[in-house]
Amino acid sequence: MSLYLISLNVSGLPSWSAIFIGSLITLIIASDFFIKASERIGIALGIPAFIVGVTMIAIGTSLPELVTSIVAVTRGQSVIVPGNVVGSNLTNTGLVLGVIAIIARRIKLEFDVMKVDGPMLIGATLLLFLCLLDGKFQFFEGLLFLGGLAVYLAYIFMLGKSGGDEAESLDIPSEERKHRLTWKEPVILLLSGLVIYFSAVFNVQAINNLGKILHVGQDFIALTAVALGTSLPELIVSLVAVRTGNIEMAVGNVVGSNLFNIFAVMGLPRLFGEIAIPPTLIDYSLPALVAITIVLLYVLQDKVINRWEGWILLLFYIGVMVSLVSAEVIA
């Protein structure tokens, strides 16, 4: 470890670290403005609130990851994409859901996750594993993932239309809301969209330079720092949901975010170019994601998440991250 630290050329490390953190924070904040402006415009144009709701849930949960991945592919740094997806889902499941289960002590779900959401999540995760197992992600596989996204959107669209208990857990509006369109919404939408793009560009460039300075792979940074940063808003929202008694929304958002990460954040960037799959992802990180997803489904099958089960998820996540860091340092 000491030899590793001595061998580092830390020139530029503070500046690129600041750019990485600053661009990531800006990306997350701008995404929030973009989603809220889009929602207000949609409702003002007469689009039913439940349609706006299901669309914003699908896009809003993973917009930073999606834009960062598209920019990474267009700039020839596509190795970031699979690390972004796998790392975000590991963080959502182990850290976010684990922490809220520990704080809430006991989460009782009214809707049956194993009816549709659970099988869809494990199916999507296994599909991701099988498609990446050969070290390639083909164009037709990207189209297949986008087909899965269409199925998922149709599913939550039907939930929003029916307005059942599960729709409430996903925080889908059940009543029409009125909003008068002003000049502010289009301006906010345009400006936030530009900020999202340039923040993603700087973030990808920072990942590239930090990888060179620290002698670590870009996929490693995506699996750890990027995944943690883009999942912090979901952690904060989930903690607020626990305090306000709307715990089911937090669980529903984690499952929905993981599905959207797999289908959209992997599928859509493939339309823009080739996606490189690092061997370390196939050998360790991807099997770890499959394992923690299976653990999650086992935990959710009785529609109750106890505190000790939250600890299992959190310790699983910590163990995976420690192993990743140790393997990268030794290498």
Side-chain angles (χ1 to χ4, degrees):
M1 180 66 175
S2 59
L3 292 176
Y4 172 78
L5 292 175
I6 292 173
S7 67
L8 292 181
N9 178 12
V10 296
S11 175
L13 181 60
S15 58
W16 282 113
S17 297
I19 291 174
F20 171 74
I21 296 173
S23 61
L24 188 60
I25 294 174
T26 304
L27 178 63
I28 293 170
I29 295 174
S31 296
D32 186 56
F33 276 98
F34 184 89
I35 293 302
K36 289 180 179 178
S38 300
E39 182 179 7
R40 288 193 293 267
I41 290 174
I43 295 173
L45 293 177
I47 301 175
F50 70 83
I51 295 180
V52 176
V54 296
T55 305
M56 290 305 101
I57 287 171
I59 298 175
T61 51
S62 300
L63 186 59
E65 293 98 324
L66 179 60
V67 178
T68 300
S69 295
I70 292 175
V71 171
V73 171
T74 59
R75 296 177 69 88
Q77 298 170 21
S78 63
V79 71
I80 294 173
V81 178
N84 206 353
V85 172
V86 174
S88 292
N89 282 18
L90 280 169
T91 305
N92 285 342
T93 305
L95 178 64
V96 176
L97 199 54
V99 168
I100 64 173
I102 292 170
I103 293 177
R105 297 177 180 270
R106 187 174 186 271
I107 300 175
K108 173 66 176 175
L109 303 177
E110 296 299 328
F111 67 93
D112 188 1
V113 180
M114 300 306 297
K115 184 177 181 180
V116 176
D117 302 76
M120 186 178 291
L121 179 59
I122 190 62
T125 305
L126 290 174
L127 178 64
L128 178 67
F129 178 78
L130 293 174
C131 287
L132 301 187
L133 196 58
D134 60 353
K136 300 177 181 178
F137 190 60
Q138 307 288 352
F139 183 81
F140 77 89
E141 291 173 330
L143 294 178
L144 178 64
F145 276 49
L146 292 178
L149 175 64
V151 171
Y152 173 61
L153 288 176
Y155 164 60
I156 59 175
F157 173 85
M158 289 177 4
L159 284 181
K161 195 170 183 178
S162 62
D165 292 336
E166 193 169 358
E168 293 178 3
S169 71
L170 291 172
D171 198 30
I172 298 175
S174 58
E175 299 180 358
E176 299 295 321
R177 292 172 291 173
K178 295 182 179 180
H179 177 75
R180 176 176 292 182
L181 185 62
T182 66
W183 61 270
K184 292 182 180 180
E185 283 79 11
V187 171
I188 292 175
L189 188 70
L190 177 61
L191 292 179
S192 60
L194 290 173
V195 172
I196 288 170
Y197 171 75
F198 286 109
S199 297
V201 169
F202 278 108
N203 193 253
V204 170
Q205 187 62 37
I207 292 171
N208 182 42
N209 284 281
L210 286 173
K212 293 177 180 179
I213 293 171
L214 298 173
H215 303 302
V216 298
Q218 297 173 16
D219 57 306
F220 171 76
I221 299 177
L223 272 165
T224 53
V226 176
L228 178 61
T230 53
S231 294
L232 285 179
E234 292 169 349
L235 176 60
I236 295 172
V237 170
S238 298
L239 292 176
V240 172
V242 170
R243 292 188 61 182
T244 57
N246 195 7
I247 305 177
E248 282 191 307
M249 183 190 75
V251 178
N253 282 343
V254 166
V255 174
S257 177
N258 285 4
L259 280 166
F260 191 79
N261 280 340
I262 293 174
F263 289 139
V265 181
M266 276 301 298
L268 192 57
R270 184 59 185 84
L271 303 182
F272 293 84
E274 299 281 344
I275 294 180
I277 311 299
T280 52
L281 187 92
I282 303 172
D283 295 338
Y284 183 74
S285 306
L286 199 51
L289 176 61
V290 174
I292 198 172
T293 302
I294 293 174
V295 172
L296 174 63
L297 296 186
Y298 177 79
V299 167
L300 293 177
Q301 66 177 345
D302 61 353
K303 300 197 294 185
V304 175
I305 308 178
N306 295 309
R307 170 177 275 188
W308 66 270
E309 292 171 327
W311 276 111
I312 290 176
L313 292 173
L314 181 59
L315 291 174
F316 191 106
Y317 169 77
I318 294 174
V320 170
M321 291 300 108
V322 169
S323 298
L324 284 173
V325 173
S326 299
E328 195 68 29
V329 170
I330 293 174

